[in-house]
Amino acid sequence: TDALRDAVEAITDDVDALADAAGDEAGDEVAAVSDTFEALLASVGDIGEGDSAGSGASAVGAALSDFGEALGDLAVALQTECG
């Protein structure tokens, strides 16, 4: 679990750096990336908290999909803004 924790911390640092770098050009999209990443972390943390493994995995999958969509929206916004 230490490796997983280290990976999550690295991604968190990357999301924070992304917010700092792109916030002026694509503030709404950056906020969506940050919000969906936080939701993903919460869903991972909720696994085993009373729900069945299947529903926990389903929640993680949905959160991961939302995070991926937000990243895609950010990429489009930055491409539009930065050419």
Side-chain angles (χ1 to χ4, degrees):
T1 59
D2 288 340
L4 181 58
R5 190 171 301 123
D6 291 344
V8 168
E9 287 178 18
I11 294 169
T12 300
D13 291 344
D14 291 343
V15 169
D16 290 344
L18 177 65
D20 290 342
D24 290 339
E25 289 81 15
D28 291 341
E29 290 83 0
V30 168
V33 168
S34 182
D35 291 347
T36 57
F37 182 67
E38 291 297 322
L40 176 59
L41 291 178
S43 67
V44 169
D46 287 345
I47 292 177
E49 298 277 330
D51 291 332
S52 69
S55 68
S58 178
V60 169
L64 187 57
S65 177
D66 291 345
F67 181 58
E69 185 176 328
L71 286 171
D73 292 345
L74 175 60
V76 169
L78 289 175
Q79 186 174 25
T80 301
E81 286 291 322
C82 300

